[in-house]
């Protein structure tokens, strides 16, 4: 945590969040380095897939012919699994995974209220009004 440094390109928040343990997977939109740079700067795994293998639904493109979406993770197996899910092809995961995980057993948690989630863990948080 150094305010004098940057975390990469436009997916900086995603990279910093994954590196700090806020999640195990983030998806960055990439026109030119926005997945690879935050991954590299934060010691993470990132994949900028070829344009033909990347679903871009919901992405507002900067350059239609270049924009793609790719996973950013802390562990390689998470990257392979997320990429295979994004492409709806679990054969990718089966071929390249080092540890076999049943994808049917995976669960996703969503924080609906960030501050309340800390209070449920017994961590108090006070917002500074200044």
């Amino acid at each position: 945590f150094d305010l004098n440094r940057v975390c990469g390109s436009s997916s900086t928040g995603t990279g910093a969040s994954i590196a700090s343990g806020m999640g195990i997977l983030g998806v960055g939109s990439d026109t030119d380095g926005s997945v690879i740079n935050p991954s590299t700067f934060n010691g993470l795994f990132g994949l900028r897939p070829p344009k033909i293998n990347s679903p871009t639904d919901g992405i507002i493109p900067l350059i239609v012919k270049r924009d793609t979406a790719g996973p950013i993770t802390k562990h390689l197996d998470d990257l392979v699994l997320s990429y295979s899910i994004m492409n709806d092809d679990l054969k990718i995961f089966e071929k390249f995974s080092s540890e076999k995980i049943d994808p049917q057993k995976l669960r996703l948690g969503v924080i609906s209220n960030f501050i309340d989630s800390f209070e449920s863990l017994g961590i108090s948080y006070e917002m500074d009004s200044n």
Side-chain angles (χ1 to χ4, degrees), residues 10-11 26-40 45-56 59 62-73 79 83 86-87:
S10 68
S11 296
V27 177
S29 59
D30 190 310
T31 302
D32 191 25
S34 299
V35 168
I36 299 302
N37 288 343
S39 300
T40 303
F45 291 94
L47 175 67
R48 183 194 194 283
K51 175 69 174 144
I52 59 171
N53 288 352
S54 174
T56 55
I59 295 175
L62 181 63
I63 301 173
V64 175
K65 292 183 178 184
R66 292 203 34 85
D67 284 5
T68 184
I72 299 173
T73 65
L79 179 88
Y83 181 66
M86 289 172 72
N87 285 281

Side-chain angles (χ1 to χ4, degrees), residues 63-104:
I63 301 173
V64 175
K65 292 183 178 184
R66 292 203 34 85
D67 284 5
T68 184
I72 299 173
T73 65
K74 195 176 272 193
H75 303 284
L76 182 58
D77 280 347
D78 294 333
L79 179 88
V80 174
L81 178 59
S82 59
Y83 181 66
S84 48
I85 291 170
M86 289 172 72
N87 285 281
D88 197 24
D89 185 0
L90 289 179
K91 291 178 184 173
I92 298 169
F93 178 71
E94 293 166 0
K95 182 175 181 179
F96 294 105
S97 174
S98 63
E99 180 182 339
K100 301 302 178 201
I101 300 170
D102 181 4
Q104 300 298 324

Side-chain angles (χ1 to χ4, degrees), residues 105-121:
K105 294 182 179 179
L106 296 176
R107 300 293 178 257
L108 176 66
V110 177
I111 298 173
S112 60
N113 187 324
F114 187 71
I115 302 303
D116 287 347
S117 65
F118 284 106
E119 291 173 357
S120 69
L121 297 172

